[in-house]
Amino acid sequence: MTSSSEGDGVASDAEGEASGPGDAERAPLPAAAAAPARPRSSPPAALDAPDELAAHVEPVDSAPDLERLRARFGRPFEAGDVIFREGEPGTEAYLLEEGRIRLIKKVRGAERSLMVLKPGDLFGESALLGGAARWSTAIALSRGVALALDHGTLQNLVERNPAVALRIIKQLVGRLRDAEDQIEIMMLNDTQSKVVNALLKLAQQSRAASGTSSNGASFAISPMELSTRVGLDVDTVKRAVQQLREGQYLRVADERLEIPDIDALRRLFSLLGVKDEIRGEQ
């Protein structure tokens, strides 16, 4: 996340803002992968799919291995492509290799962003349940490629590779944690409280992941991702971030948000809560 010349505290997210669900009504991904042409004299070696995928997912793969996986499982996509739609049978799960994907869900006729996925994320995991309906729509925010795994391949991969199964469980637990965080944020009335609460949770996660005992934190997040977390439009989030910058609660540097004093931001959150209570009593 970078600061703009207008001082709004958050860089413009061209991909995210330009690729709204209404602009992305393209055909779903083709069923066949677009793999690079290979010389007839040297056909690709046979794959033991679960083992090679496990090595890749961990990931400790060579360039030739990655090329073979993409040739067999790869699904290229362009910005605006619909990977799958809410309500469709979930026949394949996807491991995102390149690009960014946004998950969207319809709520009372309106489309709401749930999360923005990055390389390494698994999505469409309803395929684990053998054809269960998709609970969201996946739309590409940029050009990229994902590995498409049908139910049999995914089940075999999980059963034969405990390390891969553990990684999938960790991702699903992370999704559950994020969903609970979003519910907590949605219960807050004040816009600034929503943004501060989300930043506090991101700072805590960043500090836990780095194993540092410092009272500060630094992490990368785009305007689209932050707006998705707090359920607000991007412009509102930018204004809230700018106010926090002016109060020296955070800095924007090298495409990252830096929170120099988490305790100070936590105290601000408490004050915002008191302010909201007083407003509610009037």
Side-chain angles (χ1 to χ4, degrees), residues 94-97 115-123 167 171 175:
Y94 297 87
L95 180 63
L96 187 58
E97 283 289 301
M115 65 183 64
V116 177
L117 303 171
K118 298 178 180 179
D121 285 343
L122 178 75
F123 64 106
R167 175 171 173 180
Q171 283 212 16
R175 297 270 182 88

Side-chain angles (χ1 to χ4, degrees), residues 124-188:
E125 59 273 8
S126 59
L128 280 169
L129 304 179
R134 301 289 191 192
W135 64 281
S136 62
T137 297
I139 297 178
L141 293 178
S142 65
R143 174 182 294 182
V145 64
L147 302 184
L149 314 176
D150 61 30
H151 177 260
T153 300
L154 187 60
Q155 183 173 345
N156 200 5
L157 178 64
V158 170
E159 290 175 352
R160 291 174 55 178
N161 298 275
V164 173
L166 180 59
R167 175 171 173 180
I168 290 175
I169 290 172
K170 286 181 177 179
Q171 283 212 16
L172 296 180
V173 169
R175 297 270 182 88
L176 178 60
R177 178 198 62 205
D178 289 343
E180 290 176 343
D181 287 347
Q182 284 183 315
I183 291 172
E184 179 183 336
I185 291 169
M186 296 304 176
M187 294 174 68
L188 299 172

